[in-house]
């Protein structure tokens, strides 16, 4: 299957993407995770991306699109993938349309995770992620690790992302409304969008998503 997850920061895209990708046996491709991996490896791409990420802005398309295309061209993505955080604007959506067209493929589903804005700010302020694997996500109130500051899954150190500070979150939300939301209409025109509520427990949201994907 080829799936895109869309939703504001804090909707739980990363958490759901990791679970869904594992259940469906397809790679979870997160451009945010790819940027964070580049930053921790100290690459030139990571250095360029960090400046935009810390300001709550989108990393320029000429950096992002190539990186996403390279990842989608890896052998493990030949049978399908779940995109998390890409595309994030119309230019990127058109670039993805082009890749799919060239390969004679199409998207099976675009899942639009919906969450009220007050909830987003609460979720992000308490979010902590693992330094070793940023798909391991916790929350100081809603999803506490067994030992404070330590990842249950791999023992990595938990930290708060630089771009999870409140003023950066507000900027990321406004970028989401102005740049990312228009891709939902772009995909509605292709008839592949389903909006699901991202409220409730993690398993409840996963169940809604699996239902939409016809996998329950
Ligand atoms: P995420 O982990 O998906 O919340 O992404 C964190 C940050 O990485 C975003 O706020 C952007 O600065 C950057 N980023 C991730 N994906 C993209 C993308 N598709 N286009 C541009 N910037 C991105």
């Amino acid at each position: 299957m080829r799936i895109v997850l869309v939703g504001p920061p804090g909707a739980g895209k990363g958490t759901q993407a990791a679970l869904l990708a594992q259940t469906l046996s397809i790679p979870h491709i997160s451009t945010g995770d790819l940027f964070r991996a580049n930053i921790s490896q100290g690459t030139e791409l990571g250095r360029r991306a960090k400046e935009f990420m810390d300001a709550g802005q989108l990393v320029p398309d000429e950096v992002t699109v190539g990186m996403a295309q390279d990842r989608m061209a890896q052998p493990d993505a030949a049978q399908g993938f779940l995109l998390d955080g890409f595309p994030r604007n119309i230019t990127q959506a058109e670039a993805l349309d082009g890749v799919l067209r060239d390969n004679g493929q199409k998207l099976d589903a675009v899942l639009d995770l919906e969450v009220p804005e007050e909830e987003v700010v609460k979720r992000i302020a308490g979010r902590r992620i693992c330094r070793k694997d940023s798909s391991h996500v916790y929350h100081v109130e809603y999803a506490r690790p067994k030992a404070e500051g330590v990842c249950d899954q791999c023992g990595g150190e938990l930290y708060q992302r630089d771009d999870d500070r409140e003023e950066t979150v507000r900027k990321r939300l406004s970028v989401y409304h102005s740049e990312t939301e228009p891709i939902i209409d772009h995909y509605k025109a292709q008839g592949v969008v389903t909006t699901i509520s991202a409220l409730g427990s993690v398993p409840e949201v996963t169940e809604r998503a699996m239902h939409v994907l016809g996998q329950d």
Side-chain angles (χ1 to χ4, degrees), residues 31-32 35-36 53 57 59 64 85-86 88 92 161 172:
T31 40
F35 286 134
R36 283 184 287 279
M53 292 169 78
Q57 290 169 353
V59 178
T64 307
F86 182 90
R88 246 182 168 96
Q92 295 180 9
R161 281 168 43 174
R172 286 163 61 201

Side-chain angles (χ1 to χ4, degrees), residues 8-10 13-14 30-36 39 49-61 64-65 67-68 84-89 92 124 127 129 134 161 163-164 168 172 175 180:
K13 290 191 299 297
S30 157
T31 40
D33 285 351
L34 293 172
F35 286 134
R36 283 184 287 279
I39 291 169
K50 187 171 179 8
E51 197 187 310
F52 294 93
M53 292 169 78
D54 286 351
Q57 290 169 353
L58 295 187
V59 178
D61 293 334
T64 307
V65 170
M67 181 183 75
D84 158 18
F86 182 90
R88 246 182 168 96
N89 62 22
Q92 295 180 9
I124 294 191
R127 175 157 74 179
I129 64 171
S134 55
R161 281 168 43 174
D163 59 345
D164 277 354
T168 315
R172 286 163 61 201
V175 168
T180 307

Side-chain angles (χ1 to χ4, degrees), residues 11-12 15-20 23 113 123 137 142-143 196-212 215-216:
T15 305
Q16 293 300 331
L19 292 166
L20 293 169
T23 311
L113 296 181
R123 284 184 182 192
V137 183
Y142 312 132
I196 58 175
S197 166
L199 291 178
S201 68
V202 170
E204 277 165 357
V205 180
T206 310
E207 206 178 298
R208 283 174 210 144
M210 289 300 276
H211 178 71
V212 169
Q215 301 286 319
D216 52 354

Side-chain angles (χ1 to χ4, degrees), residues 17-32:
L19 292 166
L20 293 169
Q22 193 179 26
T23 311
L24 300 169
S25 302
I26 49 177
H28 166 202
I29 301 181
S30 157
T31 40

Side-chain angles (χ1 to χ4, degrees), residues 182-201:
I183 72 170
I184 297 174
D185 281 339
H186 175 89
Y187 287 124
K188 277 190 179 155
Q190 299 181 13
V192 286
V193 179
T194 306
T195 300
I196 58 175
S197 166
L199 291 178
S201 68

